[in-house]
Amino acid sequence: MYVGASTANFYPMLTEESLELLIRLGFQDIEVFVNTESEIENGYLDELRRRADDAQVRIRSLHPYISAVEPYLLFSAYQRRFEDGCGIYHRLFAAAERLGAKIVVMHGDRVEGVLPQEESIGRYERLYDIGQEYGVTLAQENVLRYRSSGLEYLAAMRRQLGNKAHFVFDLKQSLRCGHRPEQVLDVMGDAVCHVHISDHKDEELCLVPGQGVTDYERLFSQLKALQYQGGLMLELYRNNFSTEKELTDGKHFLQHLLNLNKQKA
């Protein structure tokens, strides 16, 4: 496991500026959150990749800006809109491939989605298969107000999809959905391929790691038992920290715990 961060931490700073800032802060593994259509154009992507390569930084994942409209675009009863949405995802997967990212993060269908569960999951499978054409894995994130907020839906994805089911585990979203993190990980199992990490205490559900009460030793032990070897990506909202140094402190805090965890193995 390794510690990284998302460019989304500094939203609404421009994506390329967020990337440069994370590089200056010492992050070597990064999730790029593209915020608009022009940010998946080849020239823009090539410039992001150049900056990352020059700094010997790895872009591990891409989070698309269309998350909020995925239910309307991909999970409505209007089949033609879904087909057009598949075309958009072709471009997103191509963008991830161009950046060297192996994972694209999806929010998916809404809780009040109109499709039967089996069909909803089938839409993910169609998009997952497209991603494989580009060597990119589509990963379903657990998110409040989306079907993935429910443990039953995540379990149904694993039953229906088998080894095509891949998940992004988001710690803060687990809490927002009313679940203990370990409950969500139990259901996701070894289909977890990416982690968004943060801390929490009392009513504050999204804090910099080291500022709350999260039992990271338990979390890391559970991830290790699942043979997870991916990233722990710091993903916060801009109002969750005051200074850039807090992010580097959070990174060092997690890295120290990971090192201790390795020594116990």
Side-chain angles (χ1 to χ4, degrees), residues 198-229:
S198 52
D199 206 339
H200 76 286
K201 64 180 178 181
D202 301 325
E203 300 303 314
E204 298 178 273
L205 301 184
C206 186
L207 296 171
V208 175
Q211 296 183 0
V213 298
T214 298
D215 187 346
Y216 289 110
E217 183 174 354
R218 178 174 184 174
L219 177 66
F220 294 164
S221 295
Q222 190 172 8
L223 287 169
K224 184 185 290 186
L226 296 172
Q227 298 185 317
Y228 179 71
Q229 296 180 345

Side-chain angles (χ1 to χ4, degrees), residues 85-236:
C86 288
I88 292 172
Y89 258 83
H90 269 284
R91 299 204 300 277
L92 289 169
F93 289 130
E97 181 186 34
R98 205 168 189 96
L99 290 173
K102 295 298 184 182
I103 295 169
V104 167
V105 180
M106 169 179 253
H107 287 189
D109 201 358
R110 295 278 281 192
V111 168
E112 64 274 17
V114 298
L115 299 178
Q117 179 172 276
E118 184 176 351
E119 185 177 354
S120 174
I121 295 171
R123 298 272 179 103
Y124 164 91
E125 182 175 16
R126 169 85 178 275
L127 294 163
Y128 174 88
D129 289 342
I130 293 171
Q132 292 299 288
E133 297 174 22
Y134 296 86
V136 175
T137 295
L138 180 65
Q140 172 70 64
E141 185 176 16
N142 57 304
V143 184
L144 181 69
R145 293 189 291 274
Y146 288 78
R147 274 181 155 175
S148 58
S149 63
L151 301 181
E152 301 82 2
Y153 187 79
L154 299 176
M157 287 185 69
R158 295 198 70 191
R159 287 195 303 270
Q160 184 172 326
L161 298 171
N163 61 13
K164 289 184 180 181
H166 288 79
F167 299 114
V168 180
F169 168 72
D170 189 300
L171 194 150
K172 64 182 175 299
Q173 291 289 346
S174 298
L175 299 168
R176 293 182 71 199
C177 296
H179 305 307
R180 298 190 307 278
E182 60 269 20
Q183 289 179 295
V184 180
L185 280 175
D186 277 342
V187 176
M188 290 182 172
D190 61 5
V192 174
C193 67
H194 197 55
V195 172
H196 286 159
I197 201 159
S198 52
D199 206 339
H200 76 286
K201 64 180 178 181
D202 301 325
E203 300 303 314
E204 298 178 273
L205 301 184
C206 186
L207 296 171
V208 175
Q211 296 183 0
V213 298
T214 298
D215 187 346
Y216 289 110
E217 183 174 354
R218 178 174 184 174
L219 177 66
F220 294 164
S221 295
Q222 190 172 8
L223 287 169
K224 184 185 290 186
L226 296 172
Q227 298 185 317
Y228 179 71
Q229 296 180 345
L232 304 171
M233 294 292 179
L234 280 163
E235 190 197 58
L236 308 163

Side-chain angles (χ1 to χ4, degrees), residues 23 47-57:
I23 290 170
E47 176 60 18
L48 283 188
R49 180 67 183 268
R50 183 193 66 76
R51 295 184 188 204
D53 287 348
D54 286 351
Q56 297 184 306
V57 159

Side-chain angles (χ1 to χ4, degrees), residues 33-37 40 63-69 88 91-92:
F33 196 122
V34 289
N35 289 296
T36 187
E37 182 73 9
I40 60 170
H63 199 313
Y65 66 95
I66 65 169
S67 295
V69 298
I88 292 172
R91 299 204 300 277
L92 289 169

